[in-house]
Each structure stands twice: as structure tokens, then as C-alpha cells.
Amino acid sequence: MDSSASQTPTVSQRDQWMVEHRIFQIYDFFGGLPRKAQSAMLELQRENHMEYLIKGLKRLEPSFSVLDANRPWLCYWILHSIALLGECVEPELEDNVVDFLSHCQDPNGGYGGGPGQMPHLATTYAAVNALITVGGERSLSSINRMHDAGEIDVRACYTAISVASFLNILDNELVQNVGDYIVRCQTYEGGIAGEPGAEAHGGYTFCGFATMILINEANRLDLAGLLDWVAFRQGKECGFQGRTNKLIDSCYSFWQGGVFALLQRFHSTLDEQLALPHSGEGDCTNDSQKTGLNASCPVNLNSIGYNFIKQPAETEPLFHSLALQQYILLCGQDIEGGMRDKPGKGRDYYHTCYSLSGLSGCQYSSAEDEDSPPLPSAVMGPYSNLLEPIHPLFNVVLEKYYEAHEFFAMS
Ligand SMILES: CC(C)=CCC/C(C)=C/CC/C(C)=C/COP(=O)(O)OP(=O)(O)O
Ligand SMILES: [Zn+2]
């Protein structure tokens, strides 16, 4: 057993009971309502969410002078949530974000948490995703595609590889040893930990699996073990927990739900692994031949993200999508605007971003291909709840992804 896992305190029975009690009270109340009132309760409060998001962006605006190291994250969380809602931001506000993020950019590459701060992979990922979400020449060309050094864990692997793939600068040198490191982070439970020897967690499982796909080495993971682990993370409260014996939380709608979105395109590899004992070495078959998703076949690393999204999902979602949407809408949504971890907690921009990202993932999880809109039966609540689709490897709105992909492929 992992040494760190055995030291991790699990949630107390009392905390678990309190959360379940609150959530099932909401569901009981909901169940007793007439149809029309139920539909109103399941409605995504678009206007209130927009008001909350714009207020957050404006609070950052006057010179972005708040003293913290998370401002590129706030830009990404807010702008991505707005894009998911299919809305735009005034051009002046967008220009301010681009200018602000330019001030966070280090002369030697990478973005810090604020102007003059040391560059960091996580804030670099957030800044790049924010700028891609703004889109357009001014925003995309403000990114200097060089950066030296960084930190070491699975989130760092993901943020570095995601940014490099997006910017069309992923190469064999950058990818070297990354797959070996992530394979060492897959635990006996089947999920992926932040570092070798630590406990499997949804956030790192998404990061590790997405990275392995982007570097063409996903078949080196034990995918059946991964599916087994993530399938048991959806609780009876309908939301996901981040790790075994912890409380459910709406942000895992994206981190764990995102793992399912990725697994939907790896079903053949999974079947092969189940038929053969897992060897850790892949050959060029099924999924791999279609997408180039295999370590032993030469492939243009920078085209993997694009090929991935062009390949239709091979299965229905392997989690309960409608139940998760119910949790997000009834328990994660603050009807005044914004989303929260669970009932009893306050709203924040992180949970707004990842709950909406998870909601979008659910809504499109049964779509046949990217050109067919989801059926009304796949969308919980009124069809007007439908959000914009995302690219599940990068978590940016698909349309923004295509614009940036084209821009960086040409420059
Ligand atoms: C790209 C990017 C932003 C990656 C971040 C991935 C991510 C969410 C990692 C999770 C980190 C972690 C161990 C949280 C546990 O917090 P906790 O103990 O408060 O929560 P828990 O009880 O739900 O585990
Ligand atoms: Zn959370």
C-alpha cells in the first residue's frame, strides 16, 4: 500500500452523513415538486452566472492590482466560464486582460502569478489557456513560446505538455522520460497520484492521463485499472469525489468526468489490455492506428490533440451523466450566480469554471460526433442549459481551440 495513502485522513462519518443529509434533503424536496417547478430548479441561471463572472473580471481590471499569485488563474477560470456560456466580453476588457497577462510574462518565457513574479508552469498554463480563450491576433501573438526550467509533479507534466502541444512546440526532447514518470505515479488503486508513492487523486489522474495521450504513450497505463478506479468515484449523491473515502465536490465533475471523456476514445486499447495481460508495451493496433496514439509508432506529436478530437467516441459515457448533471445543477449551483463545491459552501471562480466544464462534458458525452448537437434526452433540465463543447484534453471551448490550433500551426 502507498505509504502516503495510509497516512491520509479519511473524512469522518459525521462529515459524510452531514453532506449526504443536505444533498438528499434537496433531492427529496425536488422530487416532491410538480414538473414545471422541477424544470425551473434545473435551469442554468445564465444571467446570474454572467453577472458574477463579469463582476469578477472587472474587479481584476483597474490595473489588476490585487496582491496575489493567482491572477492568470482567475483570468482563465472566468473567461473560460464565459466562453462555456457562449457569451463574449467587451473588447476593452479583453484588451486589458491581454495587457495584464503580457506584464506577467517573464522576459525569458513563461508567466508568473502577477507582474514581475517568477514564472511558473501552472500560471503559464492558465495564462495561455486564458489568451487562447480570448483569441484573435493580438491575444495569440502576445505569447512568447519559450520557457526554461519549472517544477516536478504530474500537474507540472500536464501544464508543460499541454502548453507545448497547443503552441505547436512539442518535441521528443521535451517528452523524454515524461511517460516513465507518469507510469510510476499510477497507483495500486488504478488512479494517478501527483508524485510516485503518493495517493491517487482525480486532479492528477486527469493531468496524468491527458499528458500520456498528448505524448502518445497512453497505452502504457493500465487503462482497465484506471477505469475501475474512476468508475467508483461517482457517489450515491451523484457527484464525484476526488479520492477514496473523501467527500464529493463539484469541481471533480471535470477532473473525474474528464477522465471518462478521454477513456471514451480509448475503448479498443482497453479491450486489448483486458484480452492480453497488461505488458506495458503497446503495438500499433486499433485506436493507435486511427489516431497515432501509440508510443511505438512514429507520429507528429503536435497533431495528437487535433486527431484526438476528430476521432468519434467509441462508447457511451461510462458514468451516470444525467445524475452528475443533477448534482451540478441542484447542489453545485448558486442561484444568485456562480457554482460551489457542495451545498453549505460558498461560490467561487474555480468551482464555477470546473463545474461548468464538467457540465458541458456531460451534455456532449453521448454525441455521435462533433457536428451533431446532443439530443435533448442527454441534457438535464431545459435544453437552453446547453453549454459550448470543450476540447477535453485542454479544457478550452472547442471553437477557441480550433482558432488557436490554426494560428500556431501557421506561425
Ligand atoms: C491543471 C491543474 C489546475 C491541475 C490541478 C489538479 C488538481 C485539482 C489536483 C488536486 C490536488 C489535491 C491533492 C487536492 C486535494 O485537496 P483536498 O484534500 O482539499 O480535497 P479532497 O478531499 O477532495 O481530496
Ligand atoms: Zn473542489
Side-chain angles (χ1 to χ4, degrees):
M1 188 170 174
D2 288 352
S3 56
S4 63
S6 59
Q7 289 154 16
T8 305
T10 57
V11 292
S12 74
Q13 269 316 110
R14 194 169 159 275
D15 288 347
Q16 177 65 41
W17 181 83
M18 295 253 294
V19 169
E20 272 176 32
H21 183 67
R22 270 201 197 108
I23 291 171
F24 286 115
Q25 260 187 339
I26 294 174
Y27 292 162
D28 282 348
F29 173 72
F30 173 77
L33 291 174
R35 264 283 155 100
K36 217 167 152 198
Q38 283 189 343
S39 184
M41 255 187 100
L42 287 170
E43 197 169 328
L44 190 65
Q45 302 297 321
R46 287 175 175 273
E47 278 180 23
N48 294 350
H49 293 316
M50 272 306 288
E51 200 180 307
Y52 172 65
L53 292 163
I54 293 291
K55 196 171 77 187
L57 204 55
K58 286 202 167 144
R59 208 168 339 126
L60 289 170
E61 188 200 14
S63 68
F64 290 81
S65 61
V66 201
L67 283 174
D68 77 78
N70 274 326
R71 282 168 284 165
W73 277 117
L74 285 165
C75 293
Y76 166 57
W77 294 334
I78 295 176
L79 290 167
H80 179 49
S81 300
I82 293 173
L84 279 162
L85 290 163
E87 300 284 348
C88 303
V89 177
E90 286 164 26
E92 198 188 327
L93 205 45
E94 281 189 346
D95 283 351
N96 287 344
V97 172
V98 175
D99 291 343
F100 167 71
L101 290 172
S102 296
H103 288 124
C104 297
Q105 189 162 212
D106 190 88
N108 296 317
Y111 291 80
Q117 293 186 25
M118 224 171 96
H120 187 283
L121 277 170
T123 41
T124 300
Y125 164 87
V128 168
N129 274 16
L131 290 164
I132 282 166
T133 302
V134 169
E137 164 82 28
R138 186 169 184 273
S139 174
L140 298 178
S141 61
S142 73
I143 305 170
N144 168 2
R145 288 188 269 182
M146 298 294 292
H147 175 43
D148 249 350
E151 24 331 300
I152 306 169
D153 68 6
V154 171
R155 184 183 72 163
C157 294
Y158 170 67
T159 49
I161 297 294
S162 166
V163 165
S165 167
F166 232 140
L167 303 186
N168 199 25
I169 52 171
L170 192 57
D171 60 20
N172 289 329
E173 193 188 342
L174 196 63
V175 158
Q176 226 178 24
N177 301 330
V178 171
D180 292 349
Y181 180 79
I182 294 175
V183 165
R184 285 172 53 217
C185 293
Q186 185 166 23
T187 79
Y188 69 97
E189 286 192 286
I192 299 172
E195 296 170 283
E199 183 185 9
H201 192 283
Y204 296 119
T205 301
F206 171 82
C207 290
F209 187 27
T211 306
M212 290 300 267
I213 293 173
L214 287 170
I215 65 172
N216 198 32
E217 296 185 31
N219 61 340
R220 294 184 61 197
L221 292 170
D222 170 8
L223 295 179
L226 180 63
L227 173 59
D228 188 53
W229 177 80
V230 73
F232 281 96
R233 302 284 70 79
Q234 189 166 22
K236 54 180 179 289
E237 309 93 332
C238 303
F240 279 110
Q241 63 180 183
R243 49 185 160 148
T244 311
N245 291 327
K246 297 295 304 265
L247 299 173
I248 46 128
D249 172 343
S250 71
C251 67
Y252 300 124
S253 307
F254 174 74
W255 300 116
Q256 305 287 29
V259 171
F260 281 104
L262 302 179
L263 276 168
Q264 271 182 284
R265 288 180 168 85
F266 273 88
H267 211 72
S268 322
T269 311
L270 200 141
D271 280 346
E272 280 167 27
Q273 287 189 356
L274 287 173
L276 303 168
H278 183 61
S279 66
E281 296 301 326
D283 359 286
C284 234
T285 47
N286 291 339
D287 295 332
S288 353
Q289 277 169 344
K290 279 181 270 166
T291 57
L293 299 170
N294 189 298
S296 56
C297 308
V299 68
N300 174 2
L301 288 172
N302 289 297
S303 58
I304 291 177
Y306 184 82
N307 292 345
F308 182 85
I309 198 67
K310 288 292 172 194
Q311 191 199 342
E314 298 175 87
T315 57
E316 283 290 298
L318 300 168
F319 66 104
H320 200 318
S321 164
L322 289 172
L324 180 59
Q325 294 180 59
Q326 173 178 296
Y327 176 77
I328 296 169
L329 292 163
L330 292 182
C331 304
Q333 179 167 232
D334 181 333
I335 52 163
E336 305 284 316
M339 315 291 279
R340 60 190 176 206
D341 160 348
K342 58 176 68 59
K345 297 267 177 136
R347 63 186 177 178
D348 63 67
Y349 293 111
Y350 167 85
H351 285 93
T352 304
C353 168
Y354 291 105
S355 302
L356 291 179
S357 304
L359 186 60
S360 164
C362 288
Q363 293 171 338
Y364 291 88
S365 61
S366 296
E368 302 244 307
D369 55 60
E370 60 168 338
D371 298 321
S372 351
L375 295 173
S377 57
V379 177
M380 180 60 109
Y383 199 68
S384 58
N385 280 0
L386 188 66
L387 296 168
E388 297 297 313
I390 55 168
H391 190 310
L393 284 168
F394 303 106
N395 198 18
V396 295
V397 161
L398 207 45
E399 195 190 327
K400 311 281 183 183
Y401 164 78
Y402 284 128
E403 183 194 350
H405 177 75
E406 204 169 309
F407 181 88
F408 292 115
M410 304 225 270
S411 55

